[in-house]
Amino acid sequence: MKSCFISDNIPPVCRKFTCVTVLLFICLQLSAQDYTTIKAKNGDGIYSVLKQNGYAPNEYLNEFVELNQSKLGKNNALIIGRQYRLPLKKDSVATVVNSKVLPEVSSRKVGKKVAYEVFGPKYREITEKSKELSGAVYYLASGHGGPDPGAIGILEGHQLCEDEYAYDVTLRLARNLIERGATVYMIIRDPNDGIRDEPFLKPDRDEVCYPNSVIPLSQLARLRQSTNAVNNLHVRNKGKFERHVVIHVDSRSKKENIDVFFYYDHGSNTGKRLANTLMKTFMQKYAIHQPNRGYEGSVSERNLYVIKNAVVPSVFIELGNINHTRDQKRFIISDNRQAVSNWLRDGLIEDYKKSVK
Ligand SMILES: [Zn+2]
């Protein structure tokens, strides 16, 4: 079974499909425009400067060093007051197949309600229930999609594909957050699967990445694509309260009894607090709704590409084990998928309240 995790210890991969395009573009850019420059302030390092300017640090670190070689101090330290060139962004050119930028989730007014086609015919209409999250921006990314179904479990002869179940919970969460006044971007989107109530969600391969890009097969290219989508949107939403929520299901051995796990990136205090707040919410909900069940989830630091390279506070959530019988029940019953998304909403509201007060 393929694991959905990816660490940073990946050898650099040549993106052959875009090499020529990117090189051409860079050449044109070099002759047509100058680099953007920044002035180093006290406390700045290459990593933080790249992050602040919407770059995935691991992607651009070497290029930054090459561009600014002569101006760097010992161990590539930035020198306060010096001007540094920022690399040209490659992926904004390489991955946006269709340059037409879609609104967060396309909507139109229906009376007092707003209709969002992404949620499908049954759930498309939303009535705002409160303004609790007005001002908050969420980037919701369900795991895998397109040519990659993620982990696959089998139940009663049906294939349970991770990407479909993660997507359904993510959609339900998106709807919950919009009901509370938030702005939501679905980073992975399926053009024709709305919220589905049936137990067995039919696998397909037509998901796209924001704004409307074909999802590549290569794991690294796929992770890079969704991370860049978030980072590009961050530039548009700078200064707002933002959270990046990544939702997976995953597979482990059949025997392993797993629960909901929350991961944050090393060094991200906001991500850590977010993960802890979500876990506490789950503990409280289990205590109320299933007091004898016990909750075995946890919060931990983890080296994962999408949360390391996103410039927005991020949490990576594993909803359970798609190969475990008990967890399978959590996924195939639509009320359970709804409950999980309600609890995530409540945890995110708690996180928002803590952050803005
Ligand atoms: Zn996964």
Side-chain angles (χ1 to χ4, degrees):
M1 202 64 63
K2 188 164 46 167
S3 160
C4 68
F5 289 120
I6 188 159
S7 77
D8 277 341
N9 316 320
I10 311 157
V13 178
C14 172
R15 280 165 301 152
K16 34 189 182 314
F17 69 107
T18 51
C19 271
V20 177
T21 329
V22 171
L23 277 174
L24 256 175
F25 180 78
I26 290 174
C27 293
L28 286 172
Q29 286 287 307
L30 285 175
S31 56
Q33 72 172 59
D34 290 323
Y35 289 97
T36 307
T37 58
I38 56 102
K39 199 179 198 178
K41 301 183 303 292
N42 192 12
D44 277 348
I46 298 180
Y47 209 85
S48 63
V49 157
L50 286 172
K51 268 203 164 187
Q52 282 156 22
N53 288 281
Y55 291 83
N58 291 8
E59 287 292 304
Y60 290 93
L61 197 66
N62 293 340
E63 213 171 318
F64 186 96
V65 172
E66 268 170 41
L67 269 176
N68 298 288
Q69 203 101 62
S70 60
K71 299 176 185 169
L72 295 167
K74 238 186 196 168
N75 299 323
N76 291 335
L78 300 186
I79 295 163
I80 301 169
R82 275 208 186 158
Q83 299 274 352
Y84 292 94
R85 284 171 160 189
L86 292 173
L88 298 171
K89 282 195 184 161
K90 333 167 212 196
D91 290 286
S92 51
V93 195
T95 58
V96 179
V97 174
N98 178 346
S99 63
K100 198 177 119 221
V101 175
L102 302 172
E104 41 271 32
V105 263
S106 61
S107 68
R108 62 191 170 83
K109 301 251 178 205
V110 178
K112 281 179 188 169
K113 295 172 179 168
V114 179
Y116 296 85
E117 300 305 332
V118 72
F119 299 120
K122 190 174 167 192
Y123 291 96
R124 59 196 279 281
E125 288 186 1
I126 299 188
T127 311
E128 199 170 76
K129 290 185 176 165
S130 78
K131 299 255 179 217
E132 275 168 295
L133 293 174
S134 69
V137 178
Y138 293 94
Y139 309 110
L140 305 185
S142 55
H144 312 277
D148 173 19
I152 299 173
I154 302 286
L155 184 66
E156 297 166 18
H158 295 270
Q159 276 197 342
L160 309 180
C161 291
E162 174 185 0
D163 68 333
E164 302 297 335
Y165 287 86
Y167 184 70
D168 194 69
V169 172
T170 307
L171 262 189
R172 289 170 191 269
L173 173 60
R175 194 172 187 280
N176 281 341
L177 297 173
I178 293 169
E179 275 181 348
R180 309 295 160 144
T183 298
V184 178
Y185 294 90
M186 288 293 291
I187 298 302
I188 302 300
R189 185 172 51 86
D190 189 302
N192 50 18
D193 288 337
I195 292 175
R196 291 173 282 177
D197 287 332
E198 57 267 35
F200 298 108
L201 305 181
K202 206 172 149 239
D204 61 19
R205 303 160 69 88
D206 59 350
E207 294 86 5
V208 290
C209 182
Y210 190 93
N212 202 13
S213 306
V214 172
I215 299 176
L217 182 60
S218 139
Q219 190 178 27
L220 180 58
R222 186 167 49 70
L223 299 176
R224 184 187 278 140
Q225 181 187 50
S226 69
T227 310
N228 281 327
V230 173
N231 291 349
N232 290 336
L233 285 166
H234 162 70
V235 174
R236 202 193 293 176
N237 289 307
K238 240 177 195 168
K240 294 182 186 161
F241 173 93
E242 299 166 278
R243 292 289 185 265
H244 174 213
V245 181
V246 185
I247 297 180
H248 282 243
V249 178
D250 207 18
S251 72
R252 296 182 187 198
S253 86
K254 235 181 187 160
K255 285 180 207 132
E256 237 177 309
N257 193 9
I258 83 157
D259 248 308
V260 183
F261 288 84
F262 302 94
Y263 300 108
Y264 62 92
D265 184 41
H266 171 78
S268 171
N269 291 332
T270 315
K272 185 177 182 179
R273 194 178 61 198
L274 166 62
N276 274 313
T277 305
L278 290 172
M279 190 192 66
K280 271 183 207 148
T281 306
F282 270 69
M283 285 171 74
Q284 286 161 5
K285 299 288 183 182
Y286 275 127
I288 297 167
H289 298 283
Q290 296 178 50
N292 302 318
R293 179 187 182 276
Y295 171 62
E296 296 151 27
S298 73
V299 167
S300 43
E301 190 181 293
R302 190 147 183 179
N303 191 14
L304 297 164
Y305 184 95
V306 289
I307 58 173
K308 177 160 289 305
N309 287 288
V311 296
V312 173
S314 304
V315 64
F316 187 110
I317 305 167
E318 277 295 348
L319 292 177
N321 183 351
I322 209 159
N323 277 315
H324 191 279
T325 319
R326 191 187 77 180
D327 280 350
Q328 284 177 338
K329 284 183 187 141
R330 175 163 49 204
F331 304 127
I332 64 161
I333 298 169
S334 66
D335 282 350
N336 290 346
R337 297 199 292 271
Q338 186 61 43
V340 165
S341 71
N342 293 350
W343 296 2
L344 289 171
R345 170 203 61 207
D346 292 349
L348 289 172
I349 290 175
E350 199 53 36
D351 163 67
Y352 182 64
K353 283 187 192 156
K354 276 185 194 168
S355 307
V356 296
K357 77 177 171 197

